[in-house]
Amino acid sequence: MFADRARIIIQSGKGGNGHVSFRREKYVPAGGPDGGDGGRGGDIIFEVSDQVNNLSDYRMRRKFAATNGEEGGKKKCHGKDGQDLVLKVPAGTVIKEAQTGQVICDMSGDNKRVVILKGGKGGLGNMHFATSTMQAPKYAKPGGEAKSLEVILELKLLADVGLVGYPNAGKSTLLSRLSNAKPEIANYPFTTLNPILGVVDLPGGGSFVMADIPGIIEGASEGVGLGLEFLRHIERCKVLVHMVDISGVEREDPIEDIKAINLELATYNKKLLDKPIIIACNKADTRPDDAEDIRKRVEDTFHRKTFLISAVSGQGVKELLGEIVKELDEYKDETVVYESNFNPDEFFKEDDSFTVELNKDGEYEVTGPKVEKMLGFTNLDSEKGFAFFQKFLKEQGILKKLEDMGIQDGDTVKVYDLEFEYYK
């Protein structure tokens, strides 16, 4: 099954905690701290693979997680790093943050391998916290938290030429004639349910990729039928070939058909109509008497190069191919790569903010996410642990804030469940 969209949860690994231990050797009764650092958590990495052509691997599984780093050990042993998780996707996959729809990364162009979520840093062992006045620290730093994010994977095919038009306009037949692709061809609506890519080899050497985009109907840009699922694949095409059936068997007026499809393209993304567009009036062999009149009327109405062809017999296909190659040669822009507007590193950046307020009892209350986190891994029962916490308050600018607010010796400071008297 071809899958061009998936919604998954990705999670990096948690960093291993730093270790608390002390050197214990014979004849060394008071060995110093030797707790090792924790290992870093594994990253979530997306990588373009030529062996993957759709997103079906992400349709049946919901969550993808890297492994955690291990805790540090005694004798300054470093914990084992977590294993990175590499998720392979086809070129052209756009990774979006699920809640906002913002682009995290477009796996196109130079973006072949990208770290999307970084694993948590390993925590420092207690050997790092020894000082001349604190020779036996009984605390270590915890590992950085794992990061979890729900993302949408959306494949936008990387094709040079896109075939668009109503169902049964003859797109699949033309693709099979020009390329090595073997699409299913039959006379019923939505024969092509999946985009199909084919490589068109040119007589003088060289080639280009052509995509058969499944038939678009009125209302496709608003989600009617399957059209919305396939319109995204047209965005990266350099040239569009708009195929229209002029036999009059299924649809009466080719001009109205072209107008209707153009409206769907413009509604989805008005820039699509700025692309080079060639019109191919297919099944011209069924109307030998007035096919040229239809071609001229179409060309005069839309001011696009218009060709009479028969995808079945090959009539006019050589001339159409020549125009496609000409447009590709004149195309100057590089492949469309969607800019990132969502940075996971910024999204998960630790919040250093804090507030200091004077409550009704005359107490100074200090709150903040980093302050609360520090309380969780500091041993406040020991004098040295409390001194460590005071140093943290000074480094964060909290003590200066208290002084600016006019705190006096003996005033009470409350930090969540901790309460102490201030002395300078």
Side-chain angles (χ1 to χ4, degrees), residues 245-249 282-290 310 315:
D245 178 359
I246 66 168
S247 68
V249 175
N282 192 30
K283 305 180 185 179
D285 52 345
T286 65
R287 314 184 58 149
D289 297 332
D290 62 350
S310 170
Q315 172 189 336

Side-chain angles (χ1 to χ4, degrees), residues 215-232 260-270 272:
I216 301 169
I217 61 175
E218 292 100 333
S221 58
E222 299 172 358
V224 175
L226 299 174
L228 184 60
E229 295 299 314
F230 306 128
L231 280 167
R232 69 174 68 98
I261 296 300
N262 282 348
L263 178 61
E264 294 306 316
L265 297 179
T267 302
Y268 179 75
N269 182 349
K270 61 182 180 181
L272 293 180

Side-chain angles (χ1 to χ4, degrees), residues 11-301:
Q11 181 175 300
S12 63
K14 180 186 180 302
N17 295 331
H19 190 69
V20 176
S21 61
F22 298 91
R23 188 158 55 96
R24 292 289 181 264
E25 296 179 20
K26 194 173 183 180
Y27 308 120
V28 185
D34 69 351
D37 300 341
R40 71 164 184 84
D43 297 337
I44 295 290
I45 301 171
F46 279 83
E47 183 177 85
V48 171
S49 171
D50 295 336
Q51 307 302 313
V52 181
N53 60 17
N54 66 73
L55 301 173
S56 56
D57 290 345
Y58 304 98
R59 293 296 290 270
M60 303 303 293
R61 184 176 163 191
R62 175 71 169 151
K63 188 173 183 179
F64 297 80
T67 60
N68 298 331
E70 294 184 357
E71 183 178 342
K74 299 177 180 179
K75 299 181 180 179
K76 302 182 180 181
C77 287
H78 193 288
K80 184 179 178 182
D81 290 340
Q83 187 172 355
D84 297 337
L85 179 62
V86 179
L87 302 177
K88 297 185 182 297
V89 294
T93 300
V94 179
I95 305 165
K96 297 180 177 181
E97 197 277 321
Q99 301 304 315
T100 63
Q102 292 180 310
V103 174
I104 299 173
C105 185
D106 181 354
M107 302 301 292
S108 306
D110 295 332
N111 295 331
K112 304 296 184 184
R113 183 182 171 93
V114 181
V115 177
I116 299 297
L117 286 185
K118 294 179 181 178
K121 293 181 179 179
L124 299 177
N126 70 331
M127 64 178 180
H128 292 278
F129 300 105
T131 66
S132 59
T133 58
M134 192 188 305
Q135 298 179 1
K138 296 181 180 179
Y139 47 83
K141 193 171 182 179
E145 295 297 326
K147 302 177 181 69
S148 182
L149 199 63
E150 186 175 27
V151 298
I152 293 173
L153 308 182
E154 198 172 78
L155 176 59
K156 298 176 186 283
L157 293 179
L158 296 173
D160 300 302
V161 179
L163 300 176
V164 300
Y166 272 96
N168 291 330
K171 302 185 297 297
S172 297
T173 304
L174 180 64
L175 182 66
S176 64
R177 172 172 286 277
L178 289 176
S179 75
N180 54 3
K182 302 299 179 186
E184 181 184 357
I185 301 170
N187 188 30
Y188 52 87
F190 292 114
T191 300
T192 306
L193 296 178
N194 302 314
I196 297 173
L197 294 177
V199 177
V200 180
D201 295 315
L202 302 175
S207 63
F208 63 85
V209 177
M210 178 178 280
D212 173 9
I213 310 297
I216 301 169
I217 61 175
E218 292 100 333
S221 58
E222 299 172 358
V224 175
L226 299 174
L228 184 60
E229 295 299 314
F230 306 128
L231 280 167
R232 69 174 68 98
H233 296 301
I234 303 172
E235 292 182 271
R236 295 193 200 265
C237 295
K238 299 174 182 177
V239 176
L240 299 181
V241 175
H242 191 151
M243 292 193 66
V244 58
D245 178 359
I246 66 168
S247 68
V249 175
E250 292 192 24
R251 308 189 64 83
E252 296 181 2
D253 189 348
I255 288 181
E256 291 304 314
D257 288 355
I258 296 171
K259 286 181 178 178
I261 296 300
N262 282 348
L263 178 61
E264 294 306 316
L265 297 179
T267 302
Y268 179 75
N269 182 349
K270 61 182 180 181
K271 291 184 179 180
L272 293 180
L273 295 184
D274 294 334
K275 292 178 178 289
I277 298 177
I278 304 167
I279 299 176
C281 295
N282 192 30
K283 305 180 185 179
D285 52 345
T286 65
R287 314 184 58 149
D289 297 332
D290 62 350
E292 176 57 27
D293 292 337
I294 294 173
R295 186 204 70 78
K296 191 172 186 313
R297 190 158 58 94
V298 169
E299 190 168 76
D300 290 345
T301 301

Side-chain angles (χ1 to χ4, degrees), residues 309-344:
I309 71 165
S310 170
V312 172
S313 70
Q315 172 189 336
V317 171
K318 182 178 179 181
E319 291 76 13
L320 174 64
L321 181 60
E323 183 64 22
I324 292 172
V325 173
K326 177 175 174 291
E327 290 287 0
L328 288 175
D329 288 343
E330 294 176 355
Y331 190 87
K332 301 299 182 185
D333 294 337
E334 298 294 326
T335 300
V336 174
V337 178
Y338 297 90
E339 292 186 5
S340 171
N341 49 24
F342 183 95
N343 186 339

